[in-house]
Amino acid sequence: MKGRNLLMVPGPIEFEPAVLAAMAEPTTSHVAADFIEVFGQALERTRRVFLSQDGQPFVVAGSGTLAMDMAGANLVEPGDRVLVVNTGYFGDRFGALLERYGAVVAHLRAPVGSRPSLEAIEAELSREDYKLVTVTQVDTSTGVLADVAGVARLARQHGALCVVDGVCSVAGEELRMSAWGVDVAFSASQKAIGVPPGLALLVAGPRALAAFRARVTPVSNYYADWSHWLPIMEAYEARRPAYFGTPPVNLVAALNVSLGRILDEGMEERFGRHRVLAAACRAGIKALRLTQVPRADNFAAHTMTAPRYPESISAANFLSFAHEAGVILAGGLHPDIRNQYFRIGHMGPNTVGDVLATIGAVETGLARAGYRLERGVGLAAAARAAAEE
Ligand code: PMP
């Protein structure tokens, strides 16, 4: 479409026309029979997309930070110890949020672009008794992918609940709540879930709900309190009307369409497609002699790429040149390296064609910013990698 740019930031992403069309349907009552059916289906599909067999889904109006808040408000009581497996900006945010609810937070950090080893996590869990271990599956500020299966296993061995921030990963990265023993995972609509911003999604497993029910202090956040939302989610799934706060009717309709498309593709196929997108993007970037923030490919995300600028390229110029070439990219977010890198999102409905268009715009942006490169080498490498995956 002329005049339209390709949105390749790590959320919000490019949304499918069918999802946007569902949002534009006339708004119905939140207790109308057809909406009850749509919301009920969306909750069932949420559980399936999170690969949870017995988790309780919560879908609530708000951004991803509300989903973090729901986890913190409902699971933490003053004095509880929490270990934050921290790989960037969103680990810091989670720690600060948990402290608001009275948690005693310990951060396990690694140098920027790296991740704490399972050995270090194990040692810390052996040293101290933690109620929760939180981990950001993909920290959007670094593009580092955590070993969620490994962290969840260790948390369980040490009697702690494992809470996963999946905002930049769910429906793109492999995440198996039940098989891996993840107790809570949450996300937001605007990334690989494929729906415009405005929905917080969370699935709480049986151990998390038991910990919530065993609280001795009341939840100190009124809106996020699961005692308000649990009966609502249960009612809609049982196809009964219920009210606590008016659900965002149009967004829920769009969510149901998007989750349906995700499940039609199939979770395994979807994980595989994200691996192809990541391989293509990374091959393109490497062929342009750019390094990336994650220090090793085996823990670089598949939903986004975080390339470092070559020396002497100005962030502001590069991003506006890439935009003029038709692709919107994101600047840096991690405070320690903010101007040293940029971010490319490749998730949800994105295709290899979108990645090729992006690498083309990166080449144009770099060339216009004064970087010496042979035009087309990034594109050729990306196309080759996509074909080989
Ligand atoms: N966690 C992660 C990993 C994120 O990427 C984001 C958003 N970029 C959030 C939490 C917060 O989500 P939101 O901006 O929707 O509040």
Side-chain angles (χ1 to χ4, degrees):
M1 195 186 295
K2 198 167 182 306
R4 188 161 188 280
N5 295 296
L6 191 58
L7 182 61
M8 296 296 285
V9 306
I13 62 160
E14 289 282 327
F15 302 117
E16 293 204 75
V19 172
L20 297 174
M23 264 191 90
E25 288 285 311
T27 306
T28 183
S29 160
H30 59 289
V31 291
D34 53 351
F35 178 69
I36 293 172
E37 178 58 30
V38 163
F39 202 170
Q41 271 183 20
L43 291 166
E44 288 160 2
R45 290 174 176 173
T46 298
R47 186 182 292 107
R48 289 172 60 200
V49 166
F50 281 65
L51 292 177
S52 165
Q53 273 151 22
D54 48 8
Q56 172 60 52
F58 294 85
V59 173
V60 174
S63 77
T65 306
L66 175 72
M68 302 174 88
D69 225 9
M70 276 202 158
N74 288 286
L75 293 177
V76 167
E77 294 192 71
D80 285 345
R81 290 190 189 280
V82 182
L83 182 64
V84 174
V85 179
N86 189 322
T87 48
Y89 178 94
F90 289 102
D92 289 347
R93 172 175 296 193
F94 213 177
L97 182 155
L98 294 162
E99 279 169 358
R100 286 288 177 96
Y101 294 112
V104 179
V105 173
H107 289 269
L108 199 58
R109 291 188 166 88
V112 177
S114 197
R115 63 182 189 185
S117 68
L118 290 182
E119 292 70 33
I121 298 168
E122 162 108 77
E124 185 55 30
L125 289 173
S126 305
R127 200 186 61 77
E128 185 66 83
D129 215 11
Y130 289 99
K131 176 175 179 185
L132 297 186
V133 177
T134 75
V135 58
T136 316
Q137 189 169 20
V138 172
D139 198 298
T140 322
S141 72
T142 54
V144 168
L145 175 68
D147 178 355
V148 170
V151 175
R153 179 170 38 79
L154 291 175
R156 190 153 287 220
Q157 278 166 10
H158 290 268
L161 296 172
C162 177
V163 177
V164 177
D165 175 345
V167 174
C168 195
S169 64
V170 169
E173 299 288 349
E174 184 179 351
L175 175 66
R176 304 177 192 278
M177 269 194 84
S178 289
W180 292 355
V182 169
D183 296 297
V184 171
F186 58 78
S187 193
S189 50
Q190 74 271 18
K191 304 206 194 208
I193 299 278
V195 176
L199 288 177
L201 291 86
L202 180 146
V203 177
R207 292 198 324 154
L209 286 176
F212 163 69
R213 291 194 173 107
R215 291 180 66 97
V216 292
T217 57
V219 172
S220 62
N221 180 320
Y222 188 80
Y223 185 69
D225 188 345
W226 283 345
S227 9
H228 295 138
W229 293 109
L230 193 54
I232 308 303
M233 300 300 141
E234 286 171 342
Y236 274 98
E237 214 176 326
R239 307 302 193 264
R240 283 186 281 108
Y243 169 73
F244 169 61
T246 309
V249 171
N250 295 58
L251 276 169
V252 171
L255 175 69
N256 194 36
V257 170
S258 195
L259 294 174
R261 295 175 79 91
I262 291 169
L263 292 167
D264 282 349
E265 180 178 13
M267 297 313 295
E268 305 307 321
E269 291 73 13
R270 198 167 172 90
F271 300 149
R273 184 167 54 76
H274 282 78
R275 283 194 286 269
V276 173
L277 297 176
C281 189
R282 272 201 279 283
I285 292 302
K286 278 183 191 159
L288 295 169
R289 308 188 312 280
L290 268 51
T291 59
Q292 54 174 343
V293 176
R295 295 178 184 211
D297 275 351
N298 68 327
F299 53 80
H302 303 98
T303 49
M304 62 172 288
T305 299
R308 286 182 175 273
Y309 290 115
E311 295 283 326
S312 82
I313 299 296
S314 134
N317 285 346
F318 168 76
L319 290 173
S320 58
F321 292 146
H323 193 162
E324 281 164 31
V327 178
I328 302 170
L329 302 172
L333 178 61
H334 195 292
D336 294 356
I337 53 170
R338 197 185 297 276
N339 292 318
Q340 298 171 21
Y341 74 114
F342 62 101
R343 296 176 301 146
I344 304 170
H346 33 74
M347 61 182 120
N350 279 147
T351 61
V352 170
D354 295 336
V355 171
L356 293 178
T358 303
I359 297 294
V362 168
E363 287 192 1
T364 303
L366 289 172
R368 283 189 64 194
Y371 182 63
R372 290 167 66 92
L373 59 91
E374 192 190 329
R375 293 303 289 272
V377 290
L379 277 168
R384 218 177 302 120
E388 279 165 9
E389 268 290 312

